[in-house]
């Protein structure tokens, strides 16, 4: 009698309960998975935006590097609300024509195209640095901290990169400020 | 009697325990997955943050290293230089910059000329490359700066410059022609007059057009031949230049020299000047029996609160309140200096006498607007010397010129 097993009704009831639990579990897992994926995307977007701003800031700090005194006048060639361009003589050969001088190019511009932050080197076409960019905003300040539109007197540049993921889960702002030392120093 | 079959149908403990175990395991696995996903996200975020922090800390340490190196370079310290700031270590190396600027010959050591241009012909101070390296975690920051030692440019355009009338007496000689450091005339006939240091100058420059030079006794004035006109000759009037302070004369910012001031009351005038001596009080007063002045450098006798323009009723900056309070705002007096040989620049509010057999090779500047300036008696010499002025400028440390900066 002990080995008779479950009745059909018992089995059905158990299966229904297990089914309901299974469906709930799958739904729960799917929701969790989606959350993880979305958070991953968001974190990735944040990290990419941060890395892009860091790269831009580091490169921009070298603007106007002119150890031979040949980068004359305004070292920043473009100062715009949403783009920046500059020249520098990174390999100290007296001109600003070289590309990839070891690590850096000598004519660089950053701007936004579509939803990509673009970097153009040596007058060439731009290559995307990162995606998910809503907008890129620059502000230029002189030595007294006043906003200026004259590239020759710019000493500080504030960079603001607004980004968002395609799902719109994660959006935010990465901000950095750069001292353009070579616009302050003699050469 | 108990029905065994019924007792089996109802709540068999073993079966239910098994199912509960599976349910618990499933839930644990699910929670574990969620936890590990969250953990990996957090860990990734943390790593990124740490890398950024490392990069910024290494950068800051490298920058600190450069600043340290510039200060050490000015005082001829040794390289490579190592140090730490807040526990972050940096190392700075120094090497000479080399480049072929003119396309002639090979690359030569780069120099910064006094007019701010770079050259490889040895004109000016050498340019060195300071490279600062700092490491934090996996990040290595390298920053490079080119600098050249600073030299105070002493640019005076006459043997004697005054903002007041000058009375020359006795056998004094005021010579605007360029002399060597030893006081020998270089080329008295050269008429070049572009404003460069090593040219013949007027003997006297007056910065107020209403002032004049009264050359009495057997005093002599010598100068660049182009100024050898008028009576007395060798006097140029430049009312567009009015020096109001020693900083103004030396091309520095107002107050730059304040830290060097020695209070007049505490100052015991040494016979030998070395470097820059700035006395806030009378110097070499006749009452004290006169002084020899020897040595090389810059002697300043000036009240930092004194501005000659505030004391001149004809000047737009005239300040009656200050002009009537000479104890606080009045000029200081270079009294009777009468012996020794001085090479360099003397800047005084008011000059009473340059007397006896003193020899001054370089230049003298009087700031005062007071028309009592008397220079003379004895056989004193004031000879313009570009070399002496440059040597005087070299005796005063100014921060190195920063030329260009780059970071990896």
């Amino acid at each position: 009698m002990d080995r008779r097993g479950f009745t059909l009704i018992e089995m059905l009831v158990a299966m229904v309960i297990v089914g309901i639990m299974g469906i709930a579990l799958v739904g729960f897992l799917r929701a969790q998975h989606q959350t993880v994926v979305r958070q991953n995307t968001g974190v990735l977007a944040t990290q990419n935006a941060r890395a892009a701003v860091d790269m831009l800031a580091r490169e921009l700090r070298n603007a106007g590097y002119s150890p031979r005194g040949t980068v004359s006048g305004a070292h920043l060639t473009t100062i715009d609300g949403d783009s920046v361009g500059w020249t520098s003589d990174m390999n100290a050969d007296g001109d600003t024509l070289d590309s990839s001088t070891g690590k850096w190019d000598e004519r660089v511009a950053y701007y936004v195209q579509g939803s990509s932050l673009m970097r153009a080197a040596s007058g060439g076409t731009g290559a995307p640095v990162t995606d998910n960019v809503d907008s890129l905003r620059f502000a230029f300040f002189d030595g007294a901290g006043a906003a200026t539109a004259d590239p020759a007197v710019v000493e500080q540049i504030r960079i603001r990169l607004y980004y968002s993921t395609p799902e719109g889960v994660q959006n935010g702002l990465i901000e950095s400020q750069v001292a353009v030392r070579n616009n302050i120093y003699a050469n | 009697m108990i029905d065994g079959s019924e007792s089996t149908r109802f709540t068999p403990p073993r079966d239910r325990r098994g199912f509960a175990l599976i349910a618990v395991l499933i839930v644990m696995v699910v929670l574990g997955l969620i936890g590990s996903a969250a953990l990996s996200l957090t860990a990734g975020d943390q790593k990124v943050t740490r890398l950024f922090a490392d990069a910024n800390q290494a950068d800051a340490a490298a920058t600190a290293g450069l600043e340290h190196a510039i200060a050490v370079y000015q005082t001829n310290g040794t390289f490579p230089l190592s140090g730490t700031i807040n526990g972050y270590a940096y190392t700075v190396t120094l090497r000479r910059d080399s480049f072929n600027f003119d396309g002639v010959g090979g690359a030569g050591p780069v120099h910064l000329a006094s007019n701010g241009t770079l050259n490889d012909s040895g004109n000016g101070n050498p340019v060195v490359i300071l490279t600062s390296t700092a490491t934090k975690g996996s990040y290595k920051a390298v920053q490079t700066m080119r600098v050249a030692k600073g030299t105070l440019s002493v640019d005076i355009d006459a043997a004697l410059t005054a903002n007041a009338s000058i009375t020359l007496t006795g056998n004094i000689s005021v010579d605007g022609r360029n002399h060597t450091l030893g006081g020998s005339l270089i080329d008295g006939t050269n008429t070049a007059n572009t404003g460069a240091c090593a040219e013949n100058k007027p003997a006297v420059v007056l910065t107020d057009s209403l002032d004049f030079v009264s050359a009495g006794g057997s005093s002599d004035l010598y100068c660049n031949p182009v100024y050898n006109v008028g009576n007395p000759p060798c006097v140029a009037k430049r009312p567009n230049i009015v020096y109001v302070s020693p900083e103004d004369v030396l091309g520095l910012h107002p107050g730059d020299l304040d830290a060097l001031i020695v209070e007049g009351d505490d100052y015991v005038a040494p016979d030998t000047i070395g470097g820059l001596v700035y006395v806030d009080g009378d110097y070499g007063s006749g009452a004290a029996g006169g002084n020899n002045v020897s040595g090389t450098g810059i002697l300043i006798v000036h009240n930092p609160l004194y501005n000659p323009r505030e004391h001149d009723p004809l000047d737009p900056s005239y300040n009656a309140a200050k002009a009537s309070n000479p104890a606080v705002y009045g000029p200081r007096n270079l009294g009777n200096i009468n012996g020794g040989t001085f090479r360099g620049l003397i800047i005084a509010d008011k000059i009473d006498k340059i007397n006896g057999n003193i020899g001054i090779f370089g230049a003298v500047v009087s700031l005062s607007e007071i028309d009592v300036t008397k220079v003379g008696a004895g056989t004193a010499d004031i000879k313009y010397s570009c070399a002496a002025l440059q040597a005087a400028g070299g005796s005063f440390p100014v921060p190195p010129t920063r030329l260009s900066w780059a970071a990896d």
Side-chain angles (χ1 to χ4, degrees), chain A residues 1-2 4 6 25 28 32 40 43 47 50 54 58 61-62 65 67-68 92 104 181-182 185-187, chain B residues 5 8-9 15 26 30 34 41 45 48 52 55 59 97-99 118 139 146 402-407:
Chain A
M1 274 189 281
D2 282 346
R4 209 184 66 192
F6 303 109
L25 198 64
F28 177 69
Q32 289 303 317
N40 253 331
V43 168
Q47 288 179 359
R50 195 155 23 146
D54 194 56
R58 284 174 182 281
R61 291 193 305 176
N62 290 325
Y65 182 62
R68 303 303 166 219
W104 306 109
R181 292 167 174 78
N182 291 307
Y185 299 151
N187 279 295
Chain B
S5 67
T8 306
R9 247 192 335 261
D15 284 350
I26 289 171
V30 168
I34 294 167
L41 278 178
D45 243 7
V48 171
F52 274 97
D59 260 348
D97 193 9
S98 180
F99 190 67
L118 298 165
Y139 191 85
R146 280 171 168 79
R402 297 163 187 229
L403 295 169
S404 52
W405 180 95

Side-chain angles (χ1 to χ4, degrees), chain B residues 197-291:
Chain B
C197 178
E199 289 176 345
N200 293 322
K201 307 285 185 184
V204 178
V205 162
L206 298 176
T207 56
D208 186 333
S209 57
L210 300 177
D211 290 333
F212 54 89
V213 174
S214 165
S218 49
S219 59
D220 292 312
L221 294 162
Y222 303 100
C223 58
N224 186 322
V226 299
Y227 292 104
N228 201 355
V229 291
N231 183 27
C234 296
V235 178
K237 293 198 173 182
R238 299 199 179 138
N240 53 334
I241 311 167
V242 179
Y243 296 125
V244 298
S245 66
E247 286 91 343
D248 199 8
V249 176
L250 295 169
L252 301 171
H253 297 105
D256 274 358
L257 299 174
D258 283 359
L260 300 168
I261 293 174
V262 183
E263 293 297 328
D265 294 346
D266 305 333
Y267 191 70
V268 178
D271 283 348
T272 303
I273 302 291
L276 190 147
V277 175
Y278 185 166
V279 187
D280 170 20
D282 294 345
Y283 185 98
S285 137
N291 285 91

Side-chain angles (χ1 to χ4, degrees), chain A residues 14-29, chain B residues 19 26:
Chain A
M15 280 172 69
V16 166
I17 291 172
V18 167
I20 290 169
M21 282 177 65
I23 289 166
L25 198 64
V26 167
F28 177 69
L29 280 176
Chain B
F19 188 75
I26 289 171

Side-chain angles (χ1 to χ4, degrees), chain A residues 61 181 185, chain B residues 56-70 85 90 92 132-134 141-145 402 405-407:
Chain A
R61 291 193 305 176
R181 292 167 174 78
Y185 299 151
Chain B
N56 288 330
Q57 283 161 348
D59 260 348
T63 305
L66 275 185
E67 295 297 330
H68 186 183
I70 289 167
I85 180 159
Y90 53 78
V92 187
S132 178
T133 308
V142 181
Q143 294 186 9
T144 303
M145 198 188 292
R402 297 163 187 229
W405 180 95

Side-chain angles (χ1 to χ4, degrees), chain A residues 16-97:
Chain A
V16 166
I17 291 172
V18 167
I20 290 169
M21 282 177 65
I23 289 166
L25 198 64
V26 167
F28 177 69
L29 280 176
R30 262 184 67 181
Q32 289 303 317
H33 179 69
Q34 275 174 357
T35 306
V36 167
V37 168
R38 281 153 58 140
Q39 281 186 347
N40 253 331
T41 316
V43 168
L44 210 62
T46 309
Q47 288 179 359
N48 285 346
R50 195 155 23 146
V53 168
D54 194 56
M55 176 180 167
L56 164 58
R58 284 174 182 281
E59 201 167 12
L60 185 52
R61 291 193 305 176
N62 290 325
Y65 182 62
S66 176
R68 303 303 166 219
T70 47
V71 184
S72 59
H75 308 316
L76 293 160
T77 51
T78 314
I79 65 169
D80 213 342
D82 54 7
S83 67
V84 65
W86 66 89
T87 58
S88 51
D89 180 13
M90 295 312 293
N91 62 351
D93 66 349
D95 64 42
T96 59
L97 302 172

